[in-house]
Amino acid sequence: MSEEIVVIGSGMAGLTAGCLLAKEGHKVKLIEQNWLPGGCSSSYPRKHYIFESGATTLVGLDQHMPLKYLLDTTGIQLHPTVLEVPMRVYLKDGSMMTRYHDLEQWISEAERVFGSKGQRAFWQYCFKISQFVWETSLKQRVFPPSKLIDLWHAARNFRPKQLSFATLAYRSMDSLLRKYGLRDNQRFVDFVNEQLLITAQNKLEEVNVLFGATALCYTNYTNYYMPGGLLQLVDPMVMYIERQGGSVLLRETVEKIVPRSGQYEITTDKNTHIAKAVVSSIPINNTLPLFNDGELKGGIGKKVMQSKELNSAFSLGFVSKRHREFDCLHHQVHLDEPLPQTGSDSIFLSVSHPDDSLRCGPDEFVGSVSTHVHDPDNQIITNKDELVNAIYAALEREGLLVRDNLIFEHASTPGAWRKWTAREWGFVGGYPQYMNIKPWQMLDARLDGKKAYICGDSTYPGQGIPGACLSGIIAVEKMKVDGVV
């Protein structure tokens, strides 16, 4: 019998699962349809410059966080740069605020901008919840439970406060703002909504307190920059899998998965692979068509979100002569008028580190801009130039760009995202959080109840790289519980 385990997709979830399986001594074959690994957390060259493919912020290396767990378990070494200032936010009224890493410093800043009413208590409570969520996530590594044995493992790691915090899954962030008297502070509501979109992919009425508080506090954990781009995060994981005897196959697309006599026959556009187990790290929307009807557990199809529930992105990459020094690399700009065609109320800009000579020249900087496109299958962008001009105007207004200094630019619609990632409709950022889906109702890692599993941002929604890593950890843990590995 083949001892290979095939992992489909080389995003952070697939790489996490692949590395952990390789650590356990299994021969991993990771299959990626793109010419570069990393999925939405990677980098690519163009015109001698390096651009980020999607994610631009790196968190998850603090205590009790998934990426740190992965690195500690495997011994993979990274060399990121700590960002002293995680983010700046530019509000509609022209005021600017800094999202400081230090909680006390951030609370003082929030009080300065939004007024003292409720801010301290709100942010202290949110940070307390975020600490609980990350600590508990690594203790409850078979979540959500779908077998009796999962409940036994959950009981072994149960603490009374887990029960009390679980009730927060029934409360929305909207109700939390009301509790602290902040719901009638429209400037603060607008701020929270645009911040939640970054990591929760939704707004305060639809995001529960457990996920929402964690999403809002990601700047209160250590934020990092990877010199050379996030491909420098991905490559050490690829090399780890290969050093353990595994392989990473690029430019190969999985077309069909068929169970045969306790194994799986994985057909691609180039080959046929036989594996004792399979882990799909691509979204459930893309995974379901790979199996024949009836081969997966009942009810999975009901958990698949459609385009009207999802987000893609319009993105803009540019290179500019350096017109100023950036002591902060990440900037969210709130717009006084929604962007044309997309209706977005904010844009997110990340710039390359001034000491990063791998991505551009010493007197230049690389900029990566993204903004949400809701319902990408039906939100068709017909005029990229109109969007680009509106984005540049917003950046110039805040002093983040001098358009006359531009050297190179390229813009991408949801269609380009679909081509790059192969994800249905080009949706990115994972499944948004909705109040009608409680954490224990999320898509289970077990696909067919046998030896097929799934991870990625349609199983553990939002939360960026940490959430994707966590989903890979959970998939491998369930494989252990099931005796597959």
Side-chain angles (χ1 to χ4, degrees):
M1 179 179 288
S2 169
E3 291 303 310
E4 280 191 340
I5 299 176
V6 165
V7 178
I8 304 169
S10 67
M12 287 307 300
L15 287 169
T16 297
C19 288
L20 292 176
L21 290 167
K23 170 67 176 176
E24 295 290 326
H26 300 282
K27 188 176 181 181
V28 173
K29 182 178 286 182
L30 195 154
I31 303 176
E32 167 59 49
Q33 59 86 31
N34 209 334
W35 64 283
L36 284 171
C40 295
S41 300
S42 187
S43 315
Y44 62 93
R46 186 170 289 188
K47 297 290 185 180
H48 309 295
Y49 299 104
I50 303 295
F51 295 90
E52 301 288 31
S53 66
T56 56
T57 58
L58 175 60
V59 293
L61 293 173
D62 292 271
Q63 194 67 26
H64 305 303
M65 295 192 80
L67 184 55
K68 177 175 171 54
Y69 171 87
L70 172 65
L71 300 183
D72 289 347
T73 301
T74 59
I76 294 172
Q77 297 290 315
L78 299 179
H79 304 285
T81 300
V82 174
L83 298 181
E84 298 300 329
V85 181
M87 186 194 304
R88 290 226 164 89
V89 181
Y90 305 78
L91 303 180
K92 293 179 182 180
D93 59 10
S95 57
M96 184 270 287
M97 61 190 307
T98 301
R99 293 228 55 184
Y100 292 105
H101 168 254
D102 178 75
L103 183 62
E104 281 298 316
Q105 199 173 6
W106 162 239
I107 290 173
S108 296
E109 179 75 342
E111 290 179 331
R112 178 186 71 82
V113 175
F114 300 116
S116 60
K117 179 182 177 181
Q119 291 293 326
R120 174 168 293 277
F122 175 83
W123 289 107
Q124 287 178 335
Y125 187 59
C126 284
F127 188 64
K128 179 181 178 182
I129 293 169
S130 71
Q131 289 179 306
F132 162 80
V133 166
W134 288 124
E135 181 178 351
T136 303
S137 295
L138 281 179
K139 288 181 178 177
Q140 298 289 357
R141 296 202 296 271
V142 292
F143 190 84
S146 59
K147 287 185 176 182
L148 285 176
I149 194 170
D150 293 345
L151 296 175
W152 181 80
H153 280 271
R156 289 176 57 197
N157 295 292
F158 175 76
R159 302 293 182 273
K161 69 177 182 179
Q162 292 176 15
L163 190 60
S164 62
F165 275 97
T167 61
L168 298 178
Y170 289 95
R171 294 182 56 194
S172 69
M173 289 300 295
D174 182 81
S175 72
L176 190 64
L177 264 67
R178 294 181 189 279
K179 174 182 176 180
Y180 290 103
L182 295 168
R183 189 59 180 85
D184 58 352
N185 186 336
Q186 192 59 46
R187 292 176 76 234
F188 186 66
V189 169
D190 292 343
F191 165 79
V192 168
N193 274 331
E194 298 309 309
Q195 289 279 288
L196 284 175
L197 276 174
I198 296 175
T199 48
Q201 297 294 314
N202 219 328
K203 297 191 174 183
L204 54 84
E205 292 87 359
E206 287 290 354
V207 179
N208 71 57
V209 173
L210 273 180
F211 282 150
T214 307
L216 285 180
C217 288
Y218 89 92
T219 51
N220 298 117
Y221 293 85
T222 312
N223 281 231
Y224 298 88
Y225 176 87
M226 286 300 300
L230 283 178
L231 188 60
Q232 306 307 314
L233 164 68
V234 170
D235 279 345
M237 298 180 186
V238 169
M239 290 186 286
Y240 180 83
I241 291 171
E242 292 174 338
R243 285 199 304 269
Q244 305 303 311
S247 57
V248 177
L249 309 179
L250 301 176
R251 290 182 171 176
E252 189 163 341
T253 302
V254 175
E255 297 177 337
K256 194 172 185 61
I257 301 172
V258 178
R260 294 195 188 280
S261 305
Q263 296 179 311
Y264 293 88
E265 182 180 278
I266 297 103
T267 302
T268 74
D269 58 345
K270 294 182 178 179
N271 212 331
T272 297
H273 307 275
I274 304 298
K276 72 171 184 178
V278 61
V279 180
S280 174
S281 74
I282 62 178
I284 186 63
N285 303 66
N286 297 82
T287 299
L288 279 179
L290 301 179
F291 288 83
N292 290 327
D293 292 341
E295 289 178 350
L296 301 183
K297 293 192 305 177
I300 285 181
K302 297 177 181 178
K303 297 186 177 184
V304 176
M305 291 188 186
Q306 301 304 312
S307 174
K308 64 182 179 180
E309 302 166 283
L310 301 170
N311 297 305
S312 186
F314 180 83
S315 58
L316 170 64
F318 65 83
V319 181
S320 172
K321 296 177 184 177
R322 191 174 296 278
H323 68 289
R324 55 171 281 187
E325 293 301 320
F326 286 99
D327 64 334
C328 177
L329 304 185
H330 304 298
H331 307 264
Q332 188 185 48
V333 179
H334 295 197
L335 306 170
D336 53 6
E337 292 184 4
L339 281 178
Q341 301 182 75
T342 69
S344 306
D345 291 316
S346 68
I347 58 178
F348 192 81
L349 166 70
S350 293
V351 300
S352 56
H353 196 284
D355 297 331
D356 188 354
S357 61
L358 298 174
R359 295 185 62 188
C360 61
D363 298 320
E364 302 168 332
F365 71 95
V366 176
S368 300
V369 181
S370 62
T371 190
H372 282 80
V373 178
H374 187 65
D375 190 6
D377 192 40
N378 298 301
Q379 188 87 293
I380 307 302
I381 295 178
T382 58
N383 187 342
K384 288 201 295 187
D385 288 342
E386 181 187 35
L387 262 174
V388 169
N389 288 331
I391 290 170
Y392 281 150
L395 296 179
E396 282 197 295
R397 185 175 64 246
E398 303 300 344
L400 298 170
L401 175 73
V402 175
R403 193 163 185 176
D404 288 343
N405 287 349
L406 286 173
I407 300 170
F408 173 74
E409 67 176 50
H410 67 285
S412 302
T413 66
W417 275 106
R418 184 171 190 172
K419 184 177 180 180
W420 175 265
T421 65
R423 295 161 69 99
E424 188 80 10
W425 309 299
F427 85 86
V428 294
Y431 271 17
Q433 293 158 19
Y434 287 96
M435 279 303 298
N436 65 330
I437 303 174
K438 303 300 180 282
W440 46 89
Q441 296 173 317
M442 295 188 304
L443 184 66
D444 182 33
R446 298 182 178 99
L447 272 176
D448 63 354
K450 298 174 184 176
K451 298 179 182 180
Y453 296 80
I454 187 169
C455 56
D457 59 13
S458 60
T459 62
Y460 195 93
Q463 310 301 344
I465 289 174
C469 286
L470 180 59
S471 74
I473 293 168
I474 290 172
V476 173
E477 195 70 21
K478 291 204 173 189
M479 296 174 81
K480 291 180 180 179
V481 167
D482 295 344
V484 173
V485 299

